[in-house]
Amino acid sequence: ASPAARLMSGAPDFGAAAATVESDAPIVVVVLDEMGITALLDENEQIDAVRYPTFAALAREGTWYRDARAVHTSTIHAVPAIATGRLPDPALLPRAADHPESLFSWLAATHAMHVVESQTMLFDDPSAPAALGSLRALLDDAALVYLHVLQPPAWAERLPTIRDTWGRFERAVDRERQLAVFGRKAVFEGFVDRRERFRAFTDGVAGCQERCFHFLHVLLPHRPWDLLPSTRRYVPWDSPGMGPQEQWGDDAWLVDQAHQQYLLQVQGTDALLGELVARMKAAGIWERALVVVLADHGVSFWPGESMRWLDGLTHPEDVVRVPLFVKAPGQREGAVVDEPVLTIDVLPTMARALGAEVPWRVDGCAIASDADARAC
């Protein structure tokens, strides 16, 4: 009778429709987290190429959808919407059993899968260890959660984190590696070294030449803001000015400090993205690849207001408007689309770029040029 019983069930009776994707173009999708487009813009509403050279290059070499908008401000609903092309359903969990029709099921039959998820479990990897629905896995996870609740914080932080994923906590992270890289405080916060995660993903992209689907959702430039533009880490004053429920206090100076930390991390994110692009070009796969870079939602920095929840925001565009860049296979010249588009448009847009169809009903539309921005 418990609502948690859903986690013990397998996939629903209906399965994802089979698809034929004949294109052999490598596919790379990078989903950033908590990044609004306003962070990238200069006073002329162009991408600041000095601070963000990689994002500026994406706009020059691909298509920049300048008025792209997120469909949800919570990652666990925003990322599934991107992967499925459907509007969020709050009743669904961010896992493959609740979203059987997605980018992952669409491409799994024809492409080698290289998937790194930070907050979701949308890719049902048959080679992975025991699934969340396994009774043994559930009992192991429940025991670890119980220890986190029972023990004092100073002891609990020595346990494997339960904040990085929805299950299989013991297998989710390399504990010793975390301790060596982060120290105990960051382990308690539940964030692995995001630079290493990004660079490991980059290595995987460069190492797969044909018919590969690479998907990365990385918690950047999401808090904690601890990266410099060089990607070196520092120990920050964690979220100055932030109150409970992700609500900013009234001290504008403190909010400004947080905003500065965030912008430094956006520059560090640009640098990591630049490493990925450089490796793809060096491996000879950039030109023929389909590359998508976007964010799940943005973030707001206004005293007395919420960081990302829309109720009462005076500048909701900071949270809703997100970066979205698509470089189609063989595309050599950049383009800018100013028509409003949504993150649920990404999947059908990818399908059109690959000359394929999405074999299930989607709420999004294929988006191309100013003259044909939403071709449904």
Side-chain angles (χ1 to χ4, degrees), residues 124-140:
D124 188 10
D125 185 357
S127 66
L132 185 60
S134 160
L135 178 60
R136 173 63 181 272
L138 180 65
L139 293 176
D140 287 346

Side-chain angles (χ1 to χ4, degrees), residues 10 16 19 61 63 66 134 136 155 164 172 202 212 243 274 297 307 328 359:
E61 300 180 37
T63 301
R66 188 153 47 186
S134 160
R136 173 63 181 272
W155 291 9
D164 250 354
T202 296
C212 300
H297 57 80
M307 182 182 181

Side-chain angles (χ1 to χ4, degrees), residues 120-197:
T120 57
M121 297 177 67
L122 299 172
F123 175 47
D124 188 10
D125 185 357
S127 66
L132 185 60
S134 160
L135 178 60
R136 173 63 181 272
L138 180 65
L139 293 176
D140 287 346
D141 286 346
L144 183 56
V145 171
Y146 178 74
L147 288 174
H148 270 274
V149 173
L150 180 67
Q151 297 194 74
W155 291 9
E157 69 180 69
R158 302 185 183 203
L159 297 169
T161 179
I162 60 174
R163 300 180 62 183
D164 250 354
T165 184
W166 294 94
R168 301 194 297 271
F169 301 124
E170 290 280 3
R171 301 182 181 95
V173 293
D174 183 331
R175 176 67 180 166
E176 295 303 320
R177 188 179 183 187
Q178 266 201 352
L179 285 171
V181 172
F182 264 117
R184 290 169 56 189
K185 180 175 183 296
V187 171
F188 179 68
E189 292 170 347
F191 282 78
V192 298
D193 190 325
R194 296 167 290 176
R195 299 169 304 173
E196 288 196 5
R197 174 170 282 176

Side-chain angles (χ1 to χ4, degrees), residues 5-293:
R6 289 177 57 200
L7 299 177
M8 292 298 296
S9 63
D13 293 336
F14 59 94
T20 300
V21 180
E22 297 181 356
S23 173
D24 61 358
I27 305 169
V28 180
V29 177
V30 176
V31 181
L32 304 172
D33 203 297
E34 280 192 359
M35 182 174 183
I37 189 62
T38 51
L40 300 179
L41 303 181
D42 60 19
E43 64 274 13
N44 299 315
E45 295 200 359
Q46 300 298 316
I47 296 176
D48 189 329
V50 175
R51 291 183 172 88
Y52 312 112
T54 305
F55 286 107
L58 285 172
R60 291 194 305 270
E61 300 180 37
T63 301
W64 175 23
Y65 297 95
R66 188 153 47 186
D67 196 13
R69 306 179 185 190
V71 295
H72 207 282
T73 60
S74 173
T75 295
I76 62 173
H77 298 304
V79 173
I82 293 168
T84 63
R86 289 173 172 163
L87 290 168
D89 182 347
L92 300 180
L93 297 174
R95 60 179 189 142
D98 284 27
H99 300 280
E101 296 169 324
S102 70
L103 273 170
F104 310 105
S105 59
W106 181 49
L107 295 169
T110 57
H111 288 67
M113 306 296 285
H114 173 211
V115 179
V116 179
E117 301 182 68
S118 295
Q119 296 289 297
T120 57
M121 297 177 67
L122 299 172
F123 175 47
D124 188 10
D125 185 357
S127 66
L132 185 60
S134 160
L135 178 60
R136 173 63 181 272
L138 180 65
L139 293 176
D140 287 346
D141 286 346
L144 183 56
V145 171
Y146 178 74
L147 288 174
H148 270 274
V149 173
L150 180 67
Q151 297 194 74
W155 291 9
E157 69 180 69
R158 302 185 183 203
L159 297 169
T161 179
I162 60 174
R163 300 180 62 183
D164 250 354
T165 184
W166 294 94
R168 301 194 297 271
F169 301 124
E170 290 280 3
R171 301 182 181 95
V173 293
D174 183 331
R175 176 67 180 166
E176 295 303 320
R177 188 179 183 187
Q178 266 201 352
L179 285 171
V181 172
F182 264 117
R184 290 169 56 189
K185 180 175 183 296
V187 171
F188 179 68
E189 292 170 347
F191 282 78
V192 298
D193 190 325
R194 296 167 290 176
R195 299 169 304 173
E196 288 196 5
R197 174 170 282 176
F198 204 119
R199 285 169 175 151
F201 176 79
T202 296
D203 291 341
V205 172
C208 187
Q209 297 288 316
E210 301 291 341
R211 297 185 74 81
C212 300
F213 174 47
H214 309 274
F215 180 93
L216 171 67
H217 170 229
V218 62
L219 292 172
L220 284 172
H222 192 289
R223 292 177 296 156
W225 302 308
D226 59 359
L227 292 188
L228 296 171
S230 65
T231 75
R232 292 187 63 182
R233 290 190 64 247
Y234 69 104
V235 180
W237 178 10
D238 186 40
S239 305
M242 175 71 70
Q245 303 299 317
E246 297 184 321
Q247 187 82 11
W248 293 114
D250 294 326
D251 190 324
W253 187 86
L254 289 178
V255 179
D256 284 344
Q257 301 311 301
H259 193 202
Q260 290 297 320
Q261 291 181 354
Y262 165 75
L263 292 176
L264 291 174
Q265 187 140 300
V266 174
Q267 288 183 262
T269 303
D270 181 273
L272 290 169
L273 193 60
E275 294 177 13
L276 171 62
V277 174
R279 287 288 299 278
M280 292 182 66
K281 290 182 176 180
I285 60 177
W286 172 260
E287 185 173 328
R288 56 193 178 87
L290 170 61
V291 180
V292 181
V293 177

